[in-house]
């Protein structure tokens, strides 16, 4: 998958889903995507990015209160869990690297996807909605289930992502 860190500061190299490679040290905490020589843009996510990069804070709080995690390293539902869901659904489209030993990066895990940051945002919202639908389907109250399903039929993921990204100013290169 990727080389281990190389002495001399060169760092790990990710083998991207498109067939190209990317040095992990070329990524920084503020980078949400990069243009690749393959012609596409690839989303970049780091474990230190807050989950509200993708979801409103109130929803993150609900997920953190509701979902029990089994990891001592990540006791609270967060970005790593969101990326785990994406990786499970799209295993060929996501690469990751444990960079916790590299003190210059400021992150523990880096993910790069075959899709750009906007499409990744849509995928995460779609998967969280599916997770919520599954949870609500176990409710004992048929009215609650019907109401939730009705509201989800009206929910436009693309429109939500557009509005959320505009509100949060999540353009890939906001200063260009």
């Amino acid at each position: 998958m990727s080389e281990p860190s190389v002495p001399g500061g060169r760092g790990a190299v990710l083998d991207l889903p498109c067939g190209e490679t990317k040095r992990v040290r070329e990524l920084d905490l503020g980078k949400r995507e990069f243009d690749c020589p393959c012609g596409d843009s690839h989303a970049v996510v780091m474990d230190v990015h807050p989950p509200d990069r993708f979801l409103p804070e109130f929803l993150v709080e609900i997920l953190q209160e509701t979902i029990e995690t089994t990891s001592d390293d990540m006791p609270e539902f967060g970005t790593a869990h969101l990326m785990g869901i994406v990786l499970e659904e799209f295993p060929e489209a996501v690469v990751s690297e444990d960079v916790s030993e590299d003190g210059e990066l400021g992150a523990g895990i880096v993910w790069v996807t075959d899709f750009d940051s906007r499409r990744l945002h849509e995928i995460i919202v779609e998967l969280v909605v599916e997770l919520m639908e599954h949870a609500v389907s176990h409710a004992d109250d048929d009215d609650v289930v019907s109401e939730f399903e009705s509201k989800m039929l009206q929910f436009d993921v693309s429109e939500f992502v557009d509005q959320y990204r505009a509100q949060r100013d999540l353009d890939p290169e906001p200063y260009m």
Side-chain angles (χ1 to χ4, degrees), residues 86-152:
V86 174
L87 185 58
E88 185 175 314
E89 197 70 27
F90 300 95
E92 301 299 320
V94 182
V95 295
S96 64
E97 182 71 27
D98 179 345
V99 294
S100 57
E101 299 294 321
D102 188 336
E104 290 186 30
L105 290 174
I109 304 172
V110 174
W111 295 270
V112 176
T113 70
D114 204 26
F115 6 84
D116 65 22
S117 62
R118 187 184 189 296
R119 179 65 187 132
L120 174 62
H121 197 158
E122 286 180 341
I123 289 169
I124 287 175
V125 171
E126 290 166 357
L127 293 173
V128 168
V129 167
E130 285 179 24
L131 180 71
M132 292 167 54
E133 284 176 331
H134 178 74
V136 169
S137 73
H138 292 288
D140 292 332
D141 188 337
D142 290 339
D143 291 337
V144 169
V145 173
S146 290
E147 182 180 350
F148 183 82
E149 289 174 350
S150 172
K151 289 189 181 204
M152 287 301 102

Side-chain angles (χ1 to χ4, degrees), residues 10-23:
R10 290 180 28 220
V13 176
L14 291 170
D15 292 324
L16 303 176
C18 66
E20 297 288 338
T21 60
K22 183 74 169 175
R23 292 210 173 277

Side-chain angles (χ1 to χ4, degrees), residues 51-83:
D52 65 1
R53 168 181 169 180
F54 303 105
L55 304 168
E57 286 182 38
F58 80 89
L59 183 54
V60 170
E61 289 172 12
I62 290 170
L63 292 169
Q64 289 172 339
E65 292 171 7
T66 308
I67 298 174
E68 293 181 29
T69 63
T70 57
S71 171
D72 291 335
D73 294 335
M74 294 175 256
E76 187 173 73
F77 184 86
T79 300
H81 298 95
L82 292 173
M83 290 308 297

